[in-house]
Amino acid sequence: MDVILFGPPGAGKGTQAAAVCEALSIPHVSTGDIFRRHLKEGTPLGLLAKSFMDKGELVPDSVVCDIVASRLAEADCQGGALLDGFPRTVAQAEMLYSWLDGQGREIGTVINLQVEGSMLVPRLSGRRTCLGCGATFHVSHNPPKKLGVCDRCSGDVVQRNDDLEETVRLRLYTYERETAPVLAWLKPKGTVYTIDGSKSIAQVQLAILGALGI
Ligand code: ADP
Ligand code: AMP
C-alpha cells in the first residue's frame, strides 16, 4: 500500500516515518532526504536542489517527479512506499496519481498531520539532524542521548542550513502558497485522515497507527 504523510515543514513527518514504515513493512521515500543525499555526494542534482532549498523554495516539479517515479519503480517499493514531503504541489499530485494508476497501484491512505502555525518555527529552528543517517532530533523535545551524537548511527548531529529561522519562515510561506492547496486536491481522491500533530511524539504515533488500522 502506498501512503502519503502530508503536513507542513515541522509537522513531524520525518519523526513518525520510521514507525509507520516498520509497521507496514514499506520503505520511507523522503524527497528532502534524497536531495540531501545527492548534495552530500556532490552530484549535479544535489547542487541544483541546494540552490532552491537554501532559499526556502521548491525544487522544480519536473526534477522532483522524475526522481520519485524512478524511486517508486525500484524493487523495494513494489509493495508500496511511505511518501514524505511529496507531493508538494498540485502538479506533483497529478503526476503521482497518474503514474501510480499506470502501474496498477494507488494511494491507500493520506495521513495529514495538522499542527498550529505558531508551533512550527520553534520546532524547525530547534531541529537537529544526523549527517550520517538523517535521523531528526530536537534540542528540547527530543534531544539525542549524547549532545551532537546520533542515537541511531553515532553520526554527527547538526542544524540543517534551511532550519535557520529566516529560511524556516520562507519555507512556511512556500508551504502555504504551494503545498497547502494539495490537501483539497487529495481529499476527494480517497481516505484522508487528519491527525492532531501538536500532541506528544508518542501520542501522534499511536493516532497514526490507529488510523492505518495497525
Ligand atoms: P517534518 O519531517 O514534518 O518537517 P520533523 O519530523 O523533522 O518534521 O519534526 C520537526 C521537529 O519537531 C524535529 O526537531 C522533531 O524532533 C520535533 N517534533 C516532531 N514531532 C514532535 C512532537 N509531536 N512534539 C514535539 N516535537 C516534535
Ligand atoms: P524536507 O526535508 O521535506 O523539509 O525538504 C527540504 C527541501 O527540499 C524543501 O524545502 C524543498 O526545497 C526541497 N523539496 C523536498 N521535497 C520537495 C518536493 N516534493 N518538491 C519540491 N521541492 C522539494
Side-chain angles (χ1 to χ4, degrees), residues 1-3 97 100-101 104-109:
M1 172 171 71
D2 289 287
V3 174
Y97 276 68
L100 287 173
D101 196 37
R105 281 163 69 168
E106 59 179 8
I107 295 294
T109 310

Side-chain angles (χ1 to χ4, degrees), residues 9-211:
K13 303 182 296 295
T15 302
Q16 300 295 340
V20 177
C21 289
E22 194 185 341
L24 294 175
S25 299
I26 54 176
H28 179 204
V29 174
S30 153
T31 40
D33 284 352
I34 293 174
F35 293 138
R36 281 184 289 277
R37 211 157 36 240
H38 273 271
L39 183 57
K40 201 167 137 189
E41 288 164 9
T43 70
L45 171 65
L47 294 172
L48 173 80
K50 180 178 161 52
S51 67
F52 294 95
M53 290 163 87
D54 282 352
K55 288 185 286 186
E57 291 173 7
L58 296 182
V59 176
D61 289 337
S62 56
V63 176
V64 189
C65 288
D66 282 354
I67 283 165
V68 172
S70 40
R71 179 68 187 94
L72 291 182
E74 285 178 29
D76 63 329
C77 292
Q78 292 315 300
L82 179 71
L83 289 163
D84 161 2
F86 182 91
R88 255 176 156 104
T89 63
V90 169
Q92 291 179 14
E94 285 169 348
M95 168 272 154
L96 173 67
Y97 276 68
S98 106
W99 186 87
L100 287 173
D101 196 37
Q103 305 290 312
R105 281 163 69 168
E106 59 179 8
I107 295 294
T109 310
V110 176
I111 299 288
N112 172 37
L113 282 182
Q114 201 169 49
V115 176
E116 207 188 299
S118 63
M119 295 182 89
L120 297 173
V121 173
R123 277 198 187 182
L124 289 165
S125 49
R127 174 163 65 186
R128 298 294 180 267
T129 305
C130 174
L131 284 176
C133 70
T136 52
F137 301 90
H138 190 278
V139 285
S140 45
H141 307 306
N142 182 27
K145 290 192 182 75
K146 193 169 163 212
L147 187 71
V149 181
C150 180
D151 294 350
R152 211 197 280 171
C153 77
S154 302
D156 288 336
V157 172
V158 301
Q159 185 171 36
R160 268 166 54 175
N161 266 350
D162 61 347
D163 279 344
L164 296 171
E165 189 164 333
E166 196 179 301
T167 318
V168 161
R169 291 190 187 278
L170 295 171
R171 289 165 61 204
L172 293 174
Y173 178 63
T174 300
Y175 173 82
E176 284 308 325
R177 203 183 53 228
E178 300 191 53
T179 308
V182 176
L183 189 61
W185 189 94
L186 290 170
K187 277 186 175 156
K189 298 275 170 197
T191 321
V192 175
Y193 286 104
T194 293
I195 300 225
D196 181 0
S198 62
K199 300 251 169 63
S200 72
I201 292 175
Q203 285 171 312
V204 175
Q205 182 178 321
L206 270 181
I208 294 176
L209 297 181

